[in-house]
Amino acid sequence: MSKAPPDSEEPGEEAQGLRKVIHVDMDAFYASVEQRDEPALRGLPVAVGGDGPRGVLTTCSYEARKFGCRSAMPSVTAKRLCPDLIFRRPRFDVYTAVSRQIRDVFLDYTPHVEPLSLDEAFLDVTEDSQGIGSATRIAQLIRARIKAETGLTASAGVSYNKFLAKLASDQNKPDGLCVIRPGEGAQFVAGLPVRRFFGIGPRGAEKMAALGIETGADLAVCDITFLRRHFGSQADYLYRAARGIDLRRVKANRARKSVGTERTLDKDLSSGSALRDVLAAIIELTWARIEKSQSQGRTVTLKLKHADFSQLTRARSLPRPLASKADLAAIGHALLDEVLPLAQPVRLVGLTLSALDEDEGETPIGGTAQPLLPF
C-alpha cells in the first residue's frame, strides 16, 4: 500500500463542489410514530414489521436497538435477542402523511430538497429562502419545528457536501446535531471506521481490514492505483471519500429508476433453502418500499453477488405493473430457482422492481465550487 504523492488526483478546493448542505434523518421514524400514537409503547422495545416465522423488521425503536435488534433482521432473530419485543404492523399511510408534514417544513427554507426516503432528505441551503445565511441555524430551526409540529425528533448533519452531511447526521443520534465546517472534512473522516462510509457493508469492511484499511486515515494513504487494483469501479469514490470530497449536487425531484433491497449476508450461503429464507425477508422489505413509494413497475430483477464479487442477475418483465406482494414473491422465487444449484457461495442477495411508471432515481455527479461559507 503506497502513499498518495503530492501530484495525486485529489481535486483542488475550487473543484470540490462546496455548498451548504443539511442532511435530516428522523430518529427510528416508523417506530417513533407508533410510540407517539400509542403512548403506552413509549420507553419500550418496539419493532415495526411482521412477527411471523418469515417476518422481517422494517425498523425498531432505540430501546430495541440496545438488544442488538436492527432493520432488515428476521423477526425470529430479533425475538431471540429481545423476548419482550413488541411488534406493530407498518402503517405507511400514516408515515407518508407525517413525511409530507416534514417535507413542508423543509420547503419553508429551500426549494432544493432531495428526499431519500420518507424519513430522510438532503437540503441545499447555500441560498436559503428566508435569508438566514447560517446552515447550522437553519438545521436548529428545522429540528425544533419538526418536534413542535409532529412530536418527533430528528437528527441533522450540516456540512459542505452530501457525503459529509450524511455522516454528520449519524454522529450524535438520536436527537442530535453535528456540524462539519469547510476544512474539517478530511480530519473528521480520518477518525471514522470505514464501515461508516455509505456503500461499505460488513464484507467490504472485512476485505479492507485484510488490506490494513480500518479507518478513513488508513484509506487516505492508499493511492488511486492501489484502490483501482483492489476495488475496481468503487476506487474513485473511496479516494474522494477518504478526503471528505463529494461533487454531487442536492437535486430536487429525483427520478427513481428502481425500488429494491439488497442484503449483504453475515456468512456466504450456497444452500437453496437458506437462500430462499433470505429472499423471503428481502421480498417483505422490498414490497414495503414499493408500497411506501407508491411505485408501479413491470420488471423484477434478482441479483446475486458471489464470494469473489462476481455478479449474477436474472430478470423477468411483465406486460402490466406488478399487482401484489404475492406476485413479487412468486417471480423472485422463480428467478432464484432458475440459478440453483449455485456454482459458488453467495455473499449478497438483492431484489428490485424497475421499469417504473413513477420515478425518483439517482443523483448525477456534478458540483459548484463555493468555498468559505458561513456555517
Side-chain angles (χ1 to χ4, degrees):
M1 187 179 308
S2 54
K3 294 179 181 279
D7 59 346
S8 66
E9 295 184 17
E10 180 176 355
E13 186 177 60
E14 291 299 316
Q16 292 184 26
L18 305 187
R19 308 290 293 171
K20 295 182 189 178
V21 179
I22 302 172
H23 181 255
V24 180
D25 192 3
M26 300 301 296
D27 298 320
F29 182 48
Y30 301 165
S32 295
V33 170
E34 298 302 327
Q35 290 176 316
R36 180 198 69 176
D37 293 351
E38 192 176 343
L41 296 178
R42 293 174 187 171
L44 300 177
V46 175
V48 176
D51 61 352
R54 290 200 167 185
V56 66
L57 271 60
T58 304
T59 191
C60 57
S61 67
Y62 283 96
E63 294 86 357
R65 295 180 192 189
K66 292 176 182 176
F67 291 87
C69 300
R70 53 177 173 77
S71 62
M73 175 178 284
S75 298
V76 291
T77 304
K79 285 188 278 191
R80 279 200 303 269
L81 294 171
C82 181
D84 295 326
L85 190 61
I86 301 167
F87 282 84
R88 289 293 180 266
R89 303 295 294 184
R91 298 184 297 151
F92 288 111
D93 55 338
V94 176
Y95 309 148
T96 299
V98 177
S99 181
R100 289 195 188 106
Q101 279 184 274
I102 296 165
R103 190 81 49 82
D104 288 343
V105 172
F106 297 159
L107 292 172
D108 280 348
Y109 298 92
T110 177
H112 305 296
V113 177
E114 180 183 333
L116 302 180
S117 62
L118 291 180
D119 61 344
E120 63 175 317
F122 286 112
L123 291 71
D124 186 331
V125 294
T126 308
E127 296 179 1
D128 67 277
S129 304
Q130 299 188 24
I132 295 169
S134 166
T136 303
R137 180 58 181 155
I138 293 169
Q140 291 168 337
L141 292 170
I142 285 173
R143 293 177 61 244
R145 282 190 56 188
I146 289 173
K147 177 70 172 177
E149 296 178 24
T150 71
L152 304 171
T153 63
S155 295
V158 178
S159 197
Y160 51 90
N161 64 45
K162 292 167 71 173
F163 173 71
L164 293 172
K166 187 166 174 61
L167 285 176
S169 69
D170 194 48
Q171 187 71 8
N172 295 321
K173 267 187 166 289
D175 196 19
L177 174 66
C178 177
V179 181
I180 306 172
R181 294 173 174 80
E184 298 176 350
Q187 182 178 356
F188 180 85
V189 170
L192 295 180
V194 289
R195 65 177 180 274
R196 286 273 307 273
F197 288 24
F198 177 76
I200 299 179
R203 295 302 300 270
E206 282 181 23
K207 179 179 179 180
M208 288 188 165
L211 293 168
I213 306 169
E214 296 192 358
T215 68
D218 297 332
L219 186 58
V221 301
C222 301
D223 65 22
I224 194 67
T225 302
F226 175 89
L227 293 175
R228 285 175 178 160
R229 184 166 67 250
H230 290 281
F231 301 104
S233 61
Q234 199 180 17
D236 288 1
Y237 161 72
L238 293 173
Y239 185 89
R240 289 177 175 173
R243 291 155 178 77
I245 298 168
D246 185 358
L247 306 180
R248 297 171 300 157
R249 292 177 183 267
V250 172
K251 188 170 183 180
N253 301 319
R254 310 183 299 150
R256 178 176 291 171
K257 298 173 184 175
S258 64
V259 180
T261 305
E262 290 186 356
R263 183 173 173 192
T264 300
L265 308 176
D266 293 332
K267 61 180 181 179
D268 296 346
L269 296 177
S270 56
S271 145
S273 60
L275 287 169
R276 288 186 186 97
D277 288 343
V278 171
L279 181 59
I282 288 174
I283 287 165
E284 291 286 340
L285 280 173
T286 301
W287 186 253
R289 291 175 178 175
I290 290 168
E291 285 194 319
K292 78 178 181 182
S293 63
Q294 300 181 342
S295 298
Q296 293 187 321
R298 291 171 280 106
T299 300
V300 177
T301 302
L302 174 72
K303 172 181 172 183
L304 301 175
K305 187 176 287 187
H306 297 299
D308 65 357
F309 288 84
S310 63
Q311 194 166 292
L312 172 68
T313 61
R314 289 291 184 273
R316 183 171 298 175
S317 294
L318 306 173
R320 62 184 62 83
L322 192 76
S324 68
K325 181 171 73 174
D327 289 344
L328 177 67
I331 296 171
H333 283 289
L335 293 172
L336 179 60
D337 288 342
E338 285 181 13
V339 298
L340 292 175
L342 294 171
Q344 56 177 311
V346 165
R347 65 180 299 274
L348 177 146
V349 180
L351 192 70
T352 60
L353 178 68
S354 58
L356 300 184
D357 293 343
E358 300 254 347
D359 268 6
E360 262 191 25
E362 293 302 301
T363 305
I365 298 297
T368 302
Q370 186 163 346
L372 305 176
L373 300 175
F375 270 58

